[in-house]
Amino acid sequence: MKKILILSIISCALWMNSCGKIEDEYQFDNEINTPYAEMADKATNTLISGFWNDEGYFNYGNDGSNRGFQYWPNAHAMDVVIDAFERTNDSKYSVYFDKWFDGVKAKNGGSYYNIYYDDMQWNSLTMLRLYEITKEQKYLDAVLLLWNDIIKGWNTEFAGGGLAWKKDMLYSKNACSNGPASVLAARLYKLTKDESYLDWAIRIYEWQKDYLFDRSTGAVYDNINGQTDVLNKVALTYNQGTFLGTAVELYTITKDPLYLNDGQKIANYTITKCIDPANNILRNEGSGDGGLFKGIFIRYFVQYLKLEGIQDGYRTKFENFLKHNVKTAWQLGNLEGVYLFGPSWAQSPVGTTELTSQCSAAMLFEGITLLNK
């Protein structure tokens, strides 16, 4: 994933507000007439109709405005299609599975390999979901092929361990290349019961906790430069989400309350510090890659909220926050009658939008529907 961190994002990471107390339960008026499932249908169907390319991938811009291919957003777009299939069991969504699997490989130069470790991790996670739904071996074979390449990014020469971000930058240890990898390892363990995968999931999680996590606040830092030991303390919703996702996976496997406690701290930091304080919704983290960030957080936030054992006060606070984001995005971020969404959930796009932003909104609506199923 090629990140462009703009100054506004950096300043956003430093925002402080008064919403950190458990007593603040985000008592917004979240009443809305449109059923959540209808929101999910509209956003996801628009994702398909507006972005799908018959060559077997999702265009970067809607309605042919940008027919370019980017590897990692395509994984998230297919994840949304999988969400819709699991929600409806409608074959109009599953018909895209094989087309996407073949198309992404073709557009990626005839291979699933990539120079970015995190990009391969995202596609692996998506293909693992496809395997779990279809039981078609080709999907799992591709996952294992990529896993064996991904794990080569682990090295102790820089920063004591961790997975590198890029194959030509082994010293750059990023949250974006460790969070999804530990989620993937945990899910492979659940599937295979091979202890080596669980060992990797815990090892990666513990390294990230030691090097990129502020245990006192719940912030997940972006990266550490292993050549200089300089820590980039920008906290992005994307990285908050994947670290939260691993805590969820490890808690469901081990039932160790440590992971549940970590999850609470990560989630609380995100919804109180990674927001636009003017409206108390997840902030706009920019176009391009940034358009996907908060949707990724939402995916793992919903999985966290499906756990038992969350303190009642926090659950109320978290669920109210989620509903407030849904209502705001639907009423303010929606290009009326078109169901296109931009990087801000408080402002509709003008004419066109990017795959990343549309995916984020679709994840939001699919997520709230899943939570309330």
Side-chain angles (χ1 to χ4, degrees):
M1 180 188 68
K2 297 156 276 297
K3 292 185 190 171
I4 302 175
L5 298 180
I6 58 177
L7 289 177
S8 62
I9 291 179
I10 296 175
S11 63
C12 284
L14 301 177
W15 282 347
M16 300 295 290
N17 58 73
S18 62
C19 299
K21 298 179 180 179
I22 183 60
E23 290 80 7
D24 182 352
E25 295 181 349
Y26 286 86
Q27 297 294 344
F28 302 119
D29 176 10
N30 290 321
E31 293 298 320
I32 191 166
N33 293 327
T34 308
Y36 292 139
E38 182 178 335
M39 297 180 192
D41 282 339
K42 297 293 187 184
T44 298
N45 291 342
T46 300
L47 171 67
I48 296 171
S49 65
F51 293 85
W52 180 254
N53 188 306
D54 286 338
E55 291 184 31
Y57 70 98
F58 292 91
N59 292 325
Y60 199 70
N62 68 291
D63 300 325
S65 58
N66 183 341
R67 298 176 68 84
F69 168 80
Q70 289 200 23
Y71 186 51
W72 86 285
N74 260 267
H76 294 281
M78 180 49 59
D79 265 332
V80 171
V81 176
I82 295 170
D83 292 339
F85 175 74
E86 290 182 331
R87 173 170 55 85
T88 66
N89 200 34
D90 193 327
S91 61
K92 74 177 184 179
Y93 298 114
S94 58
V95 295
Y96 292 98
F97 293 173
D98 283 346
K99 295 176 183 178
W100 175 87
F101 183 71
D102 295 334
V104 164
K105 182 177 182 179
K107 294 299 293 186
N108 194 51
S111 169
Y112 294 117
Y113 291 131
N114 197 274
I115 193 172
Y116 292 92
Y117 285 110
D118 57 325
D119 288 24
M120 293 192 293
Q121 292 161 20
W122 285 120
N123 278 273
S124 296
L125 284 165
T126 302
M127 290 185 287
L128 186 58
R129 292 185 70 193
L130 290 175
Y131 171 74
E132 289 173 334
I133 291 170
T134 67
K135 303 305 179 186
E136 292 187 37
Q137 188 64 34
K138 64 181 182 180
Y139 296 123
L140 183 57
D141 288 344
V143 173
L144 298 179
L145 179 77
L146 287 176
W147 170 257
N148 289 330
D149 194 50
I150 289 165
I151 212 63
K152 295 175 184 176
W154 178 276
N155 67 80
T156 57
E157 180 181 358
F158 302 104
L163 285 159
W165 174 39
K166 291 179 64 183
K167 292 179 178 178
D168 59 356
M169 291 177 61
L170 296 180
Y171 59 86
S172 184
K173 304 297 181 66
N174 295 42
C176 71
S177 54
N178 284 274
S182 49
V183 172
L184 177 60
R187 291 182 179 176
L188 283 170
Y189 168 74
K190 286 181 174 180
L191 176 68
T192 67
K193 303 305 178 186
D194 184 334
E195 290 286 340
S196 67
Y197 292 122
L198 180 56
D199 290 345
W200 271 114
I202 294 173
R203 185 185 310 175
I204 297 167
Y205 184 84
E206 289 300 324
W207 177 87
Q208 189 170 353
K209 191 171 182 177
D210 287 341
Y211 283 84
L212 298 179
F213 184 58
D214 187 330
R215 298 174 189 234
S216 65
T217 65
V220 179
Y221 299 141
D222 188 72
N223 70 81
I224 183 170
N225 184 323
Q227 291 180 321
T228 63
D229 291 331
V230 172
L231 184 64
N232 181 342
K233 291 190 175 182
V234 171
L236 301 169
T237 55
Y238 167 64
N239 296 325
Q240 297 289 132
T242 57
F243 198 53
L244 175 61
T246 308
V248 170
E249 296 291 343
L250 291 176
Y251 177 70
T252 60
I253 292 169
T254 68
K255 301 304 179 184
D256 187 337
L258 171 68
Y259 297 116
L260 192 64
N261 292 337
D262 285 350
Q264 179 177 289
K265 189 172 293 185
I266 298 161
N268 195 57
Y269 179 91
T270 311
I271 72 159
T272 57
K273 298 297 186 286
C274 300
I275 64 170
D276 179 349
N279 51 31
N280 283 318
I281 63 171
L282 292 173
R283 67 191 180 217
N284 178 353
E285 289 174 294
S287 58
D289 284 348
L292 250 173
F293 290 174
K294 58 180 174 281
I296 293 171
F297 169 74
I298 290 294
R299 176 173 298 283
Y300 294 104
F301 187 48
V302 167
Q303 292 173 6
Y304 168 71
L305 289 174
K306 288 177 70 66
L307 296 176
E308 296 182 358
I310 300 172
Q311 296 178 32
D312 289 343
Y314 278 103
R315 182 179 293 281
T316 299
K317 179 178 183 178
F318 294 159
E319 290 185 355
N320 283 341
F321 176 80
L322 178 61
K323 292 174 184 177
H324 179 59
N325 276 259
V326 169
K327 182 177 181 179
T328 302
W330 187 253
Q331 294 186 337
L332 300 181
N334 182 2
L335 188 57
E336 188 175 359
V338 182
Y339 308 107
L340 291 173
F341 298 84
S344 169
W345 287 345
Q347 181 178 354
S348 62
V350 180
T352 62
T353 194
E354 295 173 322
L355 179 63
T356 49
S357 297
Q358 186 70 21
C359 282
S360 269
M363 285 186 230
L364 174 66
F365 301 125
E366 293 286 355
I368 190 69
T369 306
L370 175 64
L371 186 62
N372 285 269
K373 188 174 180 179

